[in-house]
């Protein structure tokens, strides 16, 4: 063993040029791979933080009728299924030790009606109960104009992105009450039309869900807001109070609930009665004459506190969100609740997809690097085996086994990998630290996606260190296999034929 | 007692489509403790014969017995073991491992053997380095030695494992005549004092003055013995 090691070391010194070539390739290969790992990790962490702390939380509870996991941005026009028995789900969540906070929300599309003559626009609506919403997403929204904390019972917080889009489509510039324009926040086109800008401090929203009961609601804009990153995604959602949301979507609002409560109770009392009976001939006579019988359809059942679409759940720790989601899912099923739990990255749908795409591209790049590095190293080693065939043949002649030759070759490469590759990993780690401290930030949406946020924060986890070592070992082994076999096949005869 | 018994040894080399006969039926007995020289013109088959005896090359047909054991049917692994433990080699050139110094080169085959301690190997190597007169140069690398000195190291290494047989293919071909003479004398002395069997090939017409026995080959056949 000592013999092998000293042989390896001295051989490397003897063939310094070649050792240096292999070493430098391993160095840069390891460095780039390490940086790549850091970028990927940073992106993942950043995205997780932005999605988790910005919009979706760790786990999303949706109706079990909600087919797609992607609850963030479904197919146009296709709303999210209504979540029933939100109260019972809430108590289940309250009793869960992993759950830190949760916020039920309504989420669907709405038309933004144009009070001037002109085209309407549309927006995604996020109907929230402000108290629970801010508990799950504290300090995430930044106020660009107006208030960050809405006051009163009906309001809308409009993200700048949604405002810009509405302006593009409708030519109306929305501002918070009382209607003051902040010049610095105007878009280029808005600046050009500054003198005849049509300014509004109220929005008229109308549900877009295709229900015949949708109605328009007029809401005062209390603030124009933005998120720290990924505004192109979160910025589509106008945040409105839940009552206004329900009215816009045609769900009867709580204020109209009184009349329905008794009716609902009666319906509940039916218990296990076949659901078909509801719509069949045996329609029960419901107490409460105020009830508009014609509306005892699925719509009417959406009333009251049950009218939510999602519950956004924040866990104590971001780790293990996957397991938490599946555990919550089982709990929901076990409790017989018509809901399911979706982990954040699945719920984020297209963003998750984009992340996967960027990740895939980076991965392909790293894999390509891996292959190129392995091929160059393989070539160099193969040349070394050929050049040294007389020496190797002589060693074989005086009794060295094939395995000894293999070990000699493997040892030399391993030494290079440890020295140069190790240095490469350290250099990569240093580069990651430097990149991190540079705090590169971007407004570019694609880059924000790649950064996982507005600043580039690559980071190396313990797993990444392990991965870098594995990648280095993988490259070395891949590069080694062929030349090692080649060297082991050198016969003692080759020592003599040189003469 | 015969250390090597060769019977009807045939070796053909395949060169593309043509068959090159290198040995065409050689029979030869070599006694233990012999100091035997194989002579013959270039291309007569000397190297081929030594390689097959030394289990470096394989016979096409015929029989080679080494210490009573048939070697032509041995596996690569078994032949490697045989070379390591029972045969020593001295080549014409490229004998030594360039990155090891004199004493390390000599102890190298001992360290390849299992069950030899570093201490034992080093002692044995030092003893042999002294025996070949290189005790002043134990730390030198092959590149820092003259051709004759290198062949001395090769001889010391060939003897390190106390082999039954030492094979040397033209060990003096790269040396001037005076140095060559010294090398052959050294081999001869070691043959005397240690009783190791030596077989070497040479072009040197003066060989008769050193060798106890000379075997002549020509065109892959035995052509006489003196
Ligand atoms: N690997 C080989 N492939 C093909 N032919 C070979 C090979 N090795 C030797 N030969 C042929 O076999 C014959 C015997 O060669 P060998 O090397 O044994 O002769 P030699 O007596 O050692 O010659 P020299 O005195 O020049 O060293 C020659 O004709 C040679 O060309
Ligand atoms: Mg020859």
């Amino acid at each position: 063993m000592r013999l092998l090691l000293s042989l390896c070391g001295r051989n490397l010194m003897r063939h310094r040029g070649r050792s240096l070539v292999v070493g430098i390739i391993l160095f840069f290969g390891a460095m780039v791979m390490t940086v790549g790992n850091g970028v990927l990790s940073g992106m993942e962490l950043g995205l997780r933080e932005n999605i988790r702390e910005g919009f979706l939380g760790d786990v999303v509870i949706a109706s079990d009728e909600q087919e797609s996991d992607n609850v963030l941005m479904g197919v146009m026009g296709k709303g999210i299924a209504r979540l029933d028995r939100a109260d019972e789900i809430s108590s289940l969540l309250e009793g869960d030790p992993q759950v830190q906070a949760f916020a039920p929300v309504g989420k669907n599309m709405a038309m933004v009606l144009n009070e001037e003559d002109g085209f309407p626009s549309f927006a995604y609506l996020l109907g929230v109960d402000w108290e629970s919403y801010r508990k799950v997403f504290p300090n995430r929204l930044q106020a660009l104009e107006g208030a960050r904390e809405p006051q009163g019972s009906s309001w809308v917080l409009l993200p700048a992105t949604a405002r810009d889009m509405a302006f593009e489509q409708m030519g109306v510039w929305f501002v918070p009450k009382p209607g003051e324009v902040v010049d610095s926040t105007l878009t280029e086109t808005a600046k050009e039309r500054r003198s005849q800008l049509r300014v509004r401090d109220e929005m008229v929203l109308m549900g877009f869900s295709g229900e015949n009961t949708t109605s328009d609601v007029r809401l005062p804009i209390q603030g124009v807001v933005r998120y720290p990153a990924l505004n192109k995604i979160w910025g589509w959602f106008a945040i409105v109070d839940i009552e206004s949301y329900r009215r816009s979507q045609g769900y009867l609002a709580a204020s109209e609930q009184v009349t329905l409560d008794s009716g609902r109770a009666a319906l509940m009392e039916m218990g296990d009665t076949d659901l078909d009976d509801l719509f069949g001939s045996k329609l029960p006579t419901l107490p409460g004459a105020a009830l508009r019988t014609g509306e005892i359809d699925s719509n009417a059942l959406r009333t009251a506190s049950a009218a939510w679409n999602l519950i956004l759940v924040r866990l104590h720790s971001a780790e293990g969100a996957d397991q938490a989601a599946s555990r919550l899912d089982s709990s929901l099923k076990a409790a017989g609740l018509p809901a399911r739990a979706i982990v954040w990255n699945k719920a984020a749908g297209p963003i998750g997809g984009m992340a996967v795409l960027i990740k895939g591209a980076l991965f392909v790049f790293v894999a390509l690097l891996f292959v190129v590095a392995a091929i160059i190293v393989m070539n160099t080693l193969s040349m070394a085996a050929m050049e040294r065939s007389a020496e190797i043949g002589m060693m074989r002649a005086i009794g060295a086994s094939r395995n000894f030759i293999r070990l000699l070759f493997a040892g030399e490469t391993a030494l290079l990998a440890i020295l140069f590759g190790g240095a490469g990993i350290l250099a990569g780690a240093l580069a990651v630290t430097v990149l991190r401290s540079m705090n590169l930030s971007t407004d570019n949406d694609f880059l924000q996606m790649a950064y996982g946020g507005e600043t580039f924060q690559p980071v190396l986890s313990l797993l990444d260190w392990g991965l870098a070592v594995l990648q280095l070992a993988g490259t070395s082994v891949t590069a080694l296999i062929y030349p090692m076999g080649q060297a082991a096949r050198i016969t003692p005869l080759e020592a003599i034929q040189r003469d | 007692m015969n250390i090597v018994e060769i019977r009807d040894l045939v070796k053909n080399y395949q060169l593309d489509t043509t068959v090159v006969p290198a040995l065409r039926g050689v029979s030869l007995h070599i006694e233990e403790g012999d100091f035997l020289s194989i002579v013959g013109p270039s291309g007569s088959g000397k190297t081929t014969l030594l390689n097959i005896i030394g289990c470096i090359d394989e016979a096409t047909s015929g029989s080679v017995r080494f210490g009573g054991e048939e070697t032509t049917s041995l596996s690569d692994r078994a032949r490697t073991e045989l070379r390591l433990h029972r045969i020593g080699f001295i080549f014409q050139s490229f004998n030594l491992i360039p990155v090891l110094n004199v004493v390390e080169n000599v102890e190298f085959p001992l360290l390849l053997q299992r069950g030899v301690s570093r201490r034992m190997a080093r002692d044995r190597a030092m003893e042999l380095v002294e025996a070949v007169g290189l005790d002043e140069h134990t730390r030198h690398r092959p590149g820092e030695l003259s051709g004759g000195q290198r062949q001395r190291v090769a001889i010391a290494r060939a003897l390190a494992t106390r082999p039954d047989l030492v094979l040397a293919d033209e060990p003096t071909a790269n040396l001037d005549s005076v140095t060559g003479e010294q090398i052959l004398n050294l081999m001869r002395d070691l043959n005397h004092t240690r009783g190791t069997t030596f077989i070497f090939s040479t072009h040197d017409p003066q060989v008769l003055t050193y060798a106890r026995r000379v075997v002549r080959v020509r065109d892959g056949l035995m052509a006489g013995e003196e």
Side-chain angles (χ1 to χ4, degrees):
Chain A
M1 196 61 215
R2 247 166 71 189
L3 170 72
L4 252 174
L5 264 179
S6 73
L7 262 182
C8 290
R10 294 189 203 178
N11 276 330
L12 291 181
M13 282 309 286
R14 176 157 188 259
H15 305 281
R16 264 176 230 110
R18 189 162 49 216
S19 304
L20 216 62
V21 170
V22 173
I24 285 172
I25 290 162
L26 289 176
F27 175 86
F28 280 108
M31 188 174 87
V32 175
M33 282 181 206
T34 307
V35 172
N37 293 343
V39 171
L40 277 179
S41 265
M43 182 186 101
E44 205 151 23
L45 268 180
L47 265 185
R48 183 166 81 179
E49 186 186 289
N50 271 297
I51 294 175
R52 204 184 153 238
E53 291 174 14
F55 209 83
L56 281 179
D58 297 296
V59 177
V60 177
I61 311 287
S63 161
D64 60 358
E65 278 168 34
Q66 169 65 26
E67 276 169 29
S68 164
D69 276 352
N70 166 18
V71 294
L72 187 62
M73 291 196 180
V75 188
M76 279 289 209
K78 193 163 186 233
I80 291 179
R82 176 177 43 92
L83 182 64
D84 285 325
R85 297 164 72 182
D87 288 348
E88 290 164 74
I89 298 169
S90 294
S91 17
L92 188 143
L93 291 174
E94 262 157 22
D96 194 285
Q98 263 184 290
V99 174
Q100 187 186 46
F102 60 90
V105 296
K107 182 190 156 295
N108 258 315
M109 287 187 80
M111 290 229 277
V112 183
L113 299 185
N114 198 341
E115 293 180 275
E116 318 279 336
D117 39 295
F119 294 107
S121 177
F122 68 93
Y124 282 97
L125 293 190
L126 192 70
V128 305
D129 164 51
W130 186 250
E131 283 307 310
S132 60
Y133 181 79
R134 75 199 292 208
K135 262 186 208 140
V136 179
F137 306 103
N139 304 323
R140 202 61 187 175
L141 286 175
Q142 303 162 349
L144 212 58
E145 294 166 36
R148 195 182 65 161
E149 302 270 327
Q151 309 291 325
S153 59
S154 69
W155 46 265
V156 55
L157 293 181
L158 187 65
T161 309
R163 168 167 74 176
D164 295 350
M165 199 194 65
F167 179 70
E168 292 283 307
Q169 299 193 334
M170 307 163 58
V172 174
W173 186 253
F174 289 109
V175 293
K177 270 199 183 290
E180 254 172 64
V181 175
V182 178
D183 280 313
S184 62
T185 60
L186 289 175
T187 63
E188 288 304 313
T189 12
K191 265 181 200 141
E192 281 165 29
R193 291 190 234 152
R194 179 70 182 87
S195 52
Q196 68 263 47
L197 203 61
R198 293 187 281 183
V199 178
R200 291 263 160 198
D201 59 12
E202 286 180 342
M203 277 182 108
V204 182
L205 298 167
M206 190 169 88
F208 201 69
S209 55
E211 306 281 352
N212 50 6
T213 53
T214 56
S215 60
D216 51 312
V217 289
R218 174 181 296 273
L219 297 173
I221 298 168
Q222 293 205 352
V224 172
V225 294
R226 68 184 298 278
Y227 294 85
L230 304 181
N231 279 287
K232 268 277 146 53
I233 298 153
W234 314 144
W236 287 74
F237 291 88
I239 304 177
V240 299
D241 69 277
I242 185 65
E243 295 287 324
S244 307
Y245 170 80
R246 286 179 184 145
R247 267 187 288 129
S248 78
Q249 297 298 313
Y251 306 160
L252 296 181
S255 48
E256 296 156 53
Q257 194 181 323
V258 197
T259 52
L260 270 167
D261 262 356
S262 50
R264 186 160 158 266
L267 279 172
M268 301 280 271
E269 276 161 23
M270 290 166 63
D272 294 333
T273 331
D274 192 33
L275 205 68
D276 286 344
D277 288 356
L278 254 179
F279 308 104
S281 51
K282 288 189 276 175
L283 187 75
T285 348
L286 295 167
L291 193 70
R292 287 153 290 182
T293 3
E295 280 182 21
I296 307 178
D297 54 10
S298 56
N299 271 335
L301 285 173
R302 290 181 192 183
T303 30
S305 58
W308 301 97
N309 295 113
L310 303 168
I311 299 179
L312 310 179
V313 181
R314 173 95 182 243
L315 302 175
H316 284 292
S317 156
E319 305 305 325
D322 258 310
Q323 291 94 304
S326 53
R327 193 177 50 75
L328 280 174
D329 199 61
S330 317
S331 307
L332 290 167
K333 296 277 169 328
L337 293 165
R340 65 199 194 89
I342 307 166
V343 68
W344 65 270
N345 52 354
K346 287 188 183 144
I351 304 184
M354 271 293 281
V356 167
L357 210 79
I358 295 170
K359 214 172 156 174
L362 255 169
F363 185 81
V364 166
F365 172 75
V366 168
L368 221 70
L369 191 88
F370 182 96
V371 170
V372 170
I375 285 176
I376 299 175
V377 172
M378 182 166 86
N379 241 312
T380 317
L381 292 178
S382 174
M383 269 164 53
M386 271 165 18
E387 265 174 47
R388 285 161 63 185
S389 62
E391 182 187 336
I392 292 168
M394 183 265 295
M395 292 208 260
R396 290 279 285 129
I398 63 173
S401 65
R402 282 178 199 270
N403 267 339
F404 183 85
I405 304 299
R406 282 194 194 103
L407 281 175
L408 186 67
F409 245 70
E412 289 180 20
T413 313
L415 269 181
L416 285 180
I418 290 167
L419 289 177
F420 287 86
I425 291 177
L426 291 181
L430 192 73
V432 165
T433 315
V434 169
L435 282 172
R436 192 179 170 79
S437 66
M438 282 166 72
N439 263 319
L440 295 173
S441 63
T442 182
D443 294 331
N444 180 290
D445 300 310
F446 185 80
L447 273 180
Q448 278 200 353
M449 197 65 93
Y451 289 6
E454 63 179 344
T455 55
F456 187 44
Q457 295 277 280
V459 62
L460 281 179
S461 65
L462 208 65
L463 219 73
D464 291 318
W465 284 93
L467 188 65
V469 171
L470 267 180
Q471 285 165 329
L472 175 64
T475 314
S476 310
V477 170
T478 309
L480 191 58
I481 289 170
Y482 176 75
M484 195 166 73
Q486 204 182 10
R489 274 194 304 275
I490 291 172
T491 64
L493 212 49
E494 270 162 90
I496 287 104
Q497 275 170 356
R498 287 280 166 131
D499 304 352
Chain B
M1 213 205 122
N2 288 330
I3 180 96
V4 179
E5 289 175 12
I6 300 165
R7 193 162 297 143
D8 301 327
L9 181 60
V10 171
K11 175 65 183 181
N12 294 326
Y13 286 109
Q14 190 82 36
L15 258 185
D16 296 328
T17 51
T18 55
V19 175
V20 181
L23 297 174
R24 300 191 291 172
V26 170
S27 295
L28 179 66
H29 291 215
I30 299 158
E31 267 183 50
E32 219 175 303
D34 213 344
F35 194 70
L36 176 128
S37 173
I38 297 171
V39 295
S42 189
S44 55
K46 303 183 294 293
T47 299
T48 308
L49 183 57
L50 285 174
N51 285 348
I52 293 174
I53 295 171
C55 292
I56 278 177
D57 206 353
E58 285 173 83
T60 305
S61 71
S63 153
V64 177
R65 286 179 162 273
F66 181 81
E69 185 185 10
E70 181 65 45
T71 62
T72 50
S73 53
L74 288 178
S75 68
D76 178 76
R77 190 185 290 265
R79 286 190 289 137
T80 304
E81 284 289 300
L82 199 81
R83 290 197 300 268
L84 176 60
H85 291 274
R86 301 182 61 190
I87 304 175
F89 289 90
I90 303 161
F91 302 113
Q92 184 180 323
S93 62
F94 217 97
N95 252 312
L96 307 173
I97 297 168
V99 295
L100 300 183
N101 66 29
V102 167
V103 69
E104 286 168 338
N105 260 291
V106 175
E107 69 184 358
F108 180 77
L110 281 171
L111 294 177
L112 287 180
Q113 292 183 345
R114 278 159 296 255
V116 180
S117 74
R118 294 185 74 85
R119 184 78 262 143
M120 274 164 65
R122 183 52 59 102
D123 290 347
R124 170 90 180 141
M126 289 303 287
E127 186 247 311
L128 281 163
V129 169
E130 241 167 82
V132 299
L134 282 175
D135 30 347
E136 305 263 291
H137 300 85
T138 51
R139 301 283 155 193
H140 287 69
R141 294 225 179 151
E144 300 156 358
L145 299 173
S146 71
Q149 287 171 327
R150 272 184 247 171
Q151 288 309 71
R152 283 167 193 269
V153 181
I155 292 166
R157 186 193 56 197
L159 291 169
T161 57
R162 300 178 209 274
D164 301 325
L165 174 67
V166 172
L167 298 169
D169 190 12
E170 302 192 36
T172 59
N174 286 357
L175 307 174
D176 61 81
S177 55
V178 178
T179 315
E181 208 172 299
Q182 287 170 352
I183 291 298
L184 285 175
N185 275 326
L186 176 63
M187 284 167 56
R188 169 108 220 187
D189 287 349
L190 290 165
N191 166 255
H192 269 304
T193 54
R194 300 181 187 234
T196 314
T197 314
F198 275 80
I199 308 175
F200 62 99
S201 70
T202 182
H203 278 118
D204 186 355
Q206 304 251 288
V207 66
L208 280 166
T209 51
Y210 310 103
R212 181 183 298 166
R213 185 180 165 209
V214 175
V215 169
R216 295 195 182 277
V217 285
R218 182 181 290 273
D219 293 336
L221 287 167
M222 296 291 293
E225 213 182 304
E226 285 144 59

